[in-house]
Amino acid sequence: MDLRTLNSALAAGFSPQENADRSVERLSKDILLDHLLALQRQNFNGFSVRGEVVNLCGRQVLEPEHFALISFLDSCCSAVVKRSGFREDISQQLMQAVAFVTRCAVVDGVLAISDDHVSVRLLESLIELVVGWSDLRGRQKQAPREKLQISISSLALLDGKQNDDEHGACARSHLLNLLTSDIKDLTKQDRKRIRKLEQRLIAAEEGLIKASRSRKLAAQMINAKMEHQVLAEPIVRFLQGVWFDSAQLILTRQGIGSEAWFKVSKLTETLILTVQPENNTEPGTTKDLGQIIEHLPDELKASLLSLQHDRTAADVELAVIESQHIAVLKGEQPDSFEFEYLPVSEGLFDKNTSVSQTLLAPVEKLNTGQWFVYTLEGHPVRHIKLTLKMCDLRQLMFTNRNGVKVLQVSFDEFAYLLGSEIALALPAAGSVSSLIRARLKRLVKRQLMRDKEIKQRAKPKVVTPGKTLKKVNYVPVSAEENSANLEECWKQVSKLELGARLRIGDQNVETVEARLIVEDPAGDRVMLADPLGVDLGEYTRLQLAKLVADGKCLILSRGGGFDDFRARIQRLKTSLRDSIT
Amino acid sequence: MNTMTDERRDPRFEKDTSMFLELGASSGDKNNSDVVISQSLDLSNQGAQIVLDRNIPEGRVIPLCLDIKGNKPIFVVARVVWRRCDPESGDYHIGFMLLNSRGTDFDRWQLAVAGLFPS
């Protein structure tokens, strides 16, 4: 890659400095380096090295390549510090470290900086040192703070004179490596301290999460099988009592894909079937039922894990089932019991809300130990660490710097949090270097494409908007129409809002369900679409009213601006606020 | 109906942001349509490119919600104007064109997207 392309790429990636015409005096490299050194020793306002340098420049302007370079590093390093959500004093010190990285970049060049430069590694280690710092207490809190302070002061002592010769540059590198190691040692010690706490927490939480999940799945299964069934009270008590307990135990111990779970599910269905009164009305049913009932108690007993150590209690429960079977075989009608379903907690998402695999992909790749900034509106910024990832149960648990649990969510829920930037990954070791490298690559790629386009002068493509699909056949109303009826229909149609549901078509032919999907703000035209979004055409409200009057359109609901959609999203956001510890 | 004819005229801002799409059917009197949460790749003041794990045919008209952090959710209706499948990932890149409708946040979308572009 030639230097011209690299400089052009950087320059094209960022707006030029204001008032930077050739007549204005340019700042020399040496003075720029002095300004950057000064920034390492003073307080920063905000998160822009470029902004601070420009202020120090006064009437002078930076050389275009220096301006572009500093802008580029702001977009990588300063942006990382900004979005990490540190307390102001810590952010300021980290920005002083960014000023140092920038100084190294001016001396060594952007290619060197993008190649795992020692100054970038130092910045990463400082960020790692102070992440989650606000949750610490006492001595644990003091040590990283002091280390940060000393490290920043040390960087300010490297005044650039070491770069005058090769030995000096090596010495600088060596000192930075020593400093980085020293910082990492403290971080390692702290991690070791927390590790035992985290391991105990993981052991406890894994069990709780598994149990909670088993409870939910068992309840969902039993509720589904009981739905719309006529059941006597003893059967309901059995299913929602010892059978529910046993199902949970099987799920926890053997898992959802196990033979044992499949058997429990089938047995639930079979048991409910065998106590339904309508079985007796079918020919040959009594004989079939008799064969099933003969073996059922033994099969139920084998799966009654919750009573495996109390055979007497198990026999008592099964005796109740047996008496119900006898009643059914005699043709007696069971007393139908009005029951409530087992409670099931839905989590953030209801059963009709899902997350696209494209959002889930980053979550699948997460590793434990990774830190995130959690910035939910109305809450203080938190740093949280992924401590437990349960792929089989699709659950994630996060802790703070003290090893205390702060959040537990499903994969889907965290995918949403990442996608909406409520959770943002904090830089792990090597990630700032990777970011610099990736962004530089992208800028260069765009520059090469621009150079190519200038040569080829490609025309932009024009995309044809999607066609309107079939319109409903509209039959004009005859002159003998009932105008009073039409007026009434017009009143109804004029009140229809976005989301209104209709049924279009003659009752003697196929009808189609439609929704009012667009209301023209300029006039009284509306667009209808079916529930899958297939365009059903545009109508004036008068045309719709005539369809209603002719019996070719039935209004099912008035609509309310997609209230249900809005409400579901609002519920999700409210649940999110309540979910963090 | 006041709709755009060529969404490619507008500058695009590359922005990963959460999008909610209301897909699927309601049944009976209850609206229990499916909501899918995905992500935009870029936004313009008249549309968006969204990446999704499933196909939506061209011409479909879908309610969308744009969820930019720090803003109230923005509800709009949009039509699928193009789509392509990424052969490597199997994901679908889908181009949506906004439809200006009463009862939606069409104006707020335009303000929000204009605010994303650097001044």
Side-chain angles (χ1 to χ4, degrees):
Chain A
M1 189 194 313
D2 62 279
L3 199 56
R4 188 198 71 84
T5 305
L6 195 56
N7 285 336
S8 301
L10 283 177
F14 302 94
S15 308
Q17 189 174 1
E18 282 177 15
N19 308 319
D21 60 59
R22 291 189 182 280
S23 60
V24 182
E25 191 186 343
R26 299 292 168 106
L27 194 75
S28 72
K29 182 174 166 180
D30 284 342
I31 298 182
L32 171 60
L33 289 171
D34 286 343
H35 284 334
L36 288 168
L37 181 60
L39 284 180
Q40 285 179 240
R41 295 167 178 163
Q42 73 183 46
N43 286 337
F44 258 80
N45 290 317
F47 296 93
S48 172
V49 171
R50 184 183 76 184
E52 297 289 325
V53 166
V54 164
N55 285 342
L56 289 172
C57 280
R59 287 173 191 267
Q60 291 175 304
V61 295
L62 292 164
E63 293 287 354
E65 59 265 26
H66 289 152
F67 186 79
L69 174 63
I70 295 173
S71 303
F72 171 67
L73 288 172
D74 262 348
S75 76
C76 299
C77 305
S78 305
V80 163
V81 173
K82 182 178 178 181
R83 76 178 201 176
S84 295
F86 289 108
R87 212 174 70 175
E88 193 182 336
D89 54 338
I90 293 188
S91 291
Q92 283 192 352
Q93 288 184 305
L94 289 173
M95 283 306 296
Q96 287 167 337
V98 174
F100 176 72
V101 171
T102 309
R103 194 152 64 94
C104 292
V106 172
V107 171
D108 297 341
V110 70
L111 274 179
I113 280 292
S114 70
D115 190 17
D116 198 30
H117 197 272
V118 63
S119 64
V120 177
R121 275 191 273 121
L122 179 71
L123 175 64
E124 287 167 355
S125 65
L126 286 172
I127 291 172
E128 204 183 349
L129 175 71
V130 291
V131 77
W133 174 82
S134 54
D135 286 317
L136 292 171
R137 299 282 175 268
R139 178 73 195 136
Q140 267 85 46
K141 190 166 190 162
Q142 217 179 332
R145 191 75 183 82
E146 282 170 1
K147 185 64 72 178
L148 176 66
Q149 184 68 54
I150 290 167
S151 303
I152 297 299
S153 301
S154 305
L155 291 179
L157 292 176
L158 292 169
D159 55 11
K161 294 195 169 48
Q162 303 80 20
N163 302 319
D164 288 348
D165 61 24
E166 194 187 316
H167 293 296
C170 282
R172 181 196 72 174
S173 233
H174 180 66
L175 287 170
L176 290 176
N177 278 322
L178 283 175
L179 189 50
T180 306
S181 284
D182 187 42
I183 294 163
K184 281 181 186 291
D185 281 344
L186 181 59
T187 309
K188 223 181 275 182
Q189 269 175 42
D190 190 60
R191 259 196 236 143
K192 205 173 156 189
R193 174 184 69 85
I194 294 299
R195 191 73 195 127
K196 284 209 173 98
L197 288 172
E198 287 175 349
Q199 279 168 347
R200 277 202 289 269
L201 179 67
I202 287 168
E205 287 295 322
E206 258 180 337
L208 285 173
I209 292 171
K210 265 191 184 146
S212 166
R213 184 103 174 118
S214 298
R215 184 179 182 84
K216 181 178 171 178
L217 290 174
Q220 282 176 336
M221 183 274 288
I222 291 174
N223 285 347
K225 305 289 184 202
M226 287 173 73
E227 203 172 3
H228 306 313
Q229 302 294 335
V230 173
L231 296 167
E233 186 178 350
I235 299 294
V236 172
R237 299 233 179 277
F238 173 79
L239 286 169
Q240 295 186 337
V242 294
W243 191 244
F244 176 43
D245 294 341
S246 301
Q248 289 176 70
L249 282 170
I250 285 171
L251 269 173
T252 304
R253 291 179 192 174
Q254 303 195 40
I256 196 168
S258 66
E259 184 70 35
W261 171 248
F262 177 74
K263 195 174 171 192
V264 158
S265 189
K266 293 309 285 182
L267 281 173
T268 310
E269 204 174 305
T270 305
L271 171 60
I272 291 172
L273 186 71
T274 57
V275 295
Q276 294 303 299
E278 51 264 36
N279 284 323
N280 286 332
T281 63
E282 292 176 25
T285 304
T286 310
K287 189 183 169 195
D288 293 336
L289 194 62
Q291 284 176 340
I292 295 169
I293 285 172
E294 192 188 337
H295 300 289
L296 191 57
D298 287 339
E299 293 189 53
L300 289 172
K301 196 172 185 178
S303 294
L304 260 183
L305 287 197
S306 62
L307 295 177
Q308 63 181 340
H309 299 299
D310 188 348
R311 290 288 107 179
T312 309
D315 290 338
V316 166
E317 292 287 342
L318 293 172
V320 165
I321 308 274
E322 202 177 1
S323 66
Q324 292 296 310
H325 282 152
I326 291 169
V328 165
L329 287 171
K330 281 182 183 173
E332 289 172 15
Q333 291 290 328
D335 296 323
S336 174
F337 180 65
E338 249 192 66
F339 59 85
E340 304 237 339
Y341 291 102
L342 291 162
V344 177
S345 63
E346 284 284 356
L348 288 187
F349 301 148
D350 58 45
K351 64 181 190 310
N352 293 322
T353 303
S354 62
V355 172
S356 169
Q357 287 300 316
T358 49
L359 276 191
L360 274 167
V363 178
E364 306 282 359
K365 291 178 191 161
L366 289 180
N367 295 314
T368 52
Q370 200 167 346
W371 282 91
F372 297 85
V373 190
Y374 194 88
T375 51
L376 194 58
E377 216 176 301
H379 287 255
V381 173
R382 313 270 312 249
H383 288 160
I384 61 175
K385 184 172 91 168
L386 177 59
T387 303
L388 176 60
K389 182 181 177 188
M390 298 174 79
C391 295
D392 51 346
L393 300 182
R394 317 284 291 162
Q395 290 289 312
L396 301 167
M397 185 184 73
F398 297 83
T399 54
N400 66 13
R401 182 85 180 248
N402 272 328
V404 173
K405 176 183 167 184
V406 290
L407 181 68
Q408 184 195 317
V409 286
S410 67
F411 276 35
D412 282 13
E413 288 159 354
F414 199 67
Y416 167 66
L417 294 177
L418 280 180
S420 56
E421 295 186 339
I422 292 170
L424 286 170
L426 275 166
S431 60
V432 178
S433 286
S434 305
L435 177 67
I436 292 172
R437 208 165 23 250
R439 287 235 172 121
L440 191 62
K441 237 178 165 174
R442 205 160 65 194
L443 285 174
V444 169
K445 196 176 169 185
R446 278 195 202 151
Q447 183 59 35
L448 291 171
M449 278 175 65
R450 262 194 293 271
D451 290 344
K452 197 175 167 188
E453 274 172 21
I454 287 167
K455 287 178 190 167
Q456 288 178 353
R457 300 197 181 275
K459 285 184 188 174
K461 289 180 193 163
V462 174
V463 173
T464 312
K467 291 179 191 167
T468 301
L469 298 175
K470 67 169 172 96
K471 285 189 192 293
V472 172
N473 286 329
Y474 170 58
V475 177
V477 177
S478 67
E480 287 98 38
E481 69 192 13
N482 183 336
S483 62
N485 183 33
L486 180 61
E487 195 178 321
E488 181 54 39
C489 294
W490 166 252
K491 275 187 194 158
Q492 291 175 33
V493 166
S494 62
K495 288 179 189 161
L496 294 180
E497 293 177 37
L498 217 57
R501 289 175 51 246
L502 311 158
R503 192 167 287 131
I504 305 280
D506 195 304
Q507 56 184 313
N508 297 322
V509 299
E510 199 181 320
T511 59
V512 60
E513 194 166 319
R515 192 158 65 148
L516 201 161
I517 199 98
V518 176
E519 283 185 79
D520 182 7
D524 84 327
R525 294 182 73 80
V526 297
M527 181 192 290
L528 303 183
D530 81 357
L532 294 175
V534 176
D535 187 343
L536 297 176
E538 295 173 15
Y539 301 83
T540 63
R541 285 186 190 260
L542 182 59
Q543 283 175 323
L544 262 189
K546 285 178 181 173
L547 283 175
V548 174
D550 289 349
K552 290 183 168 56
C553 173
L554 181 67
I555 297 172
L556 299 174
S557 74
R558 243 184 68 179
F562 301 123
D563 281 354
D564 193 60
F565 185 33
R566 289 177 188 262
R568 282 167 80 175
I569 291 167
Q570 195 48 53
R571 266 198 304 274
L572 167 73
K573 288 175 153 311
T574 306
S575 301
L576 203 56
R577 273 199 296 274
D578 297 339
S579 70
I580 190 163
T581 307
Chain B
M1 191 87 61
N2 179 23
T3 57
M4 272 290 295
T5 53
D6 181 5
E7 80 285 359
R8 304 274 281 191
R9 287 194 198 127
D10 297 302
R12 268 151 176 65
F13 186 82
E14 277 183 18
K15 176 75 179 166
D16 292 345
T17 188
S18 284
M19 301 285 304
F20 295 81
L21 295 83
E22 196 186 49
L23 308 174
S26 60
S27 68
D29 295 322
K30 232 175 138 182
N31 184 358
N32 59 355
S33 51
D34 294 330
V35 171
V36 172
I37 306 172
S38 193
Q39 203 165 36
S40 66
L41 290 178
D42 60 52
L43 304 172
S44 73
N45 71 345
Q46 296 285 349
Q49 181 186 177
I50 296 174
V51 64
L52 204 55
D53 60 354
R54 64 204 76 180
N55 189 17
I56 307 178
E58 284 174 25
R60 295 284 170 100
V61 181
I62 307 281
L64 304 177
C65 172
L66 176 64
D67 189 23
I68 298 182
K69 192 178 158 191
N71 285 274
K72 276 169 50 177
I74 299 173
F75 291 87
V76 293
V77 175
R79 187 194 294 279
V80 176
V81 290
W82 61 266
R83 62 200 160 96
R84 61 177 174 85
C85 181
D86 183 333
E88 273 185 39
S89 62
D91 294 332
Y92 287 88
H93 291 231
I94 302 181
F96 283 91
M97 183 176 73
L98 260 56
L99 299 176
N100 188 0
S101 171
R102 203 181 293 148
T104 66
D105 299 325
F106 183 82
D107 294 336
R108 275 187 56 222
W109 172 292
Q110 300 199 310
L111 279 172
V113 171
L116 292 173
F117 284 95
S119 50

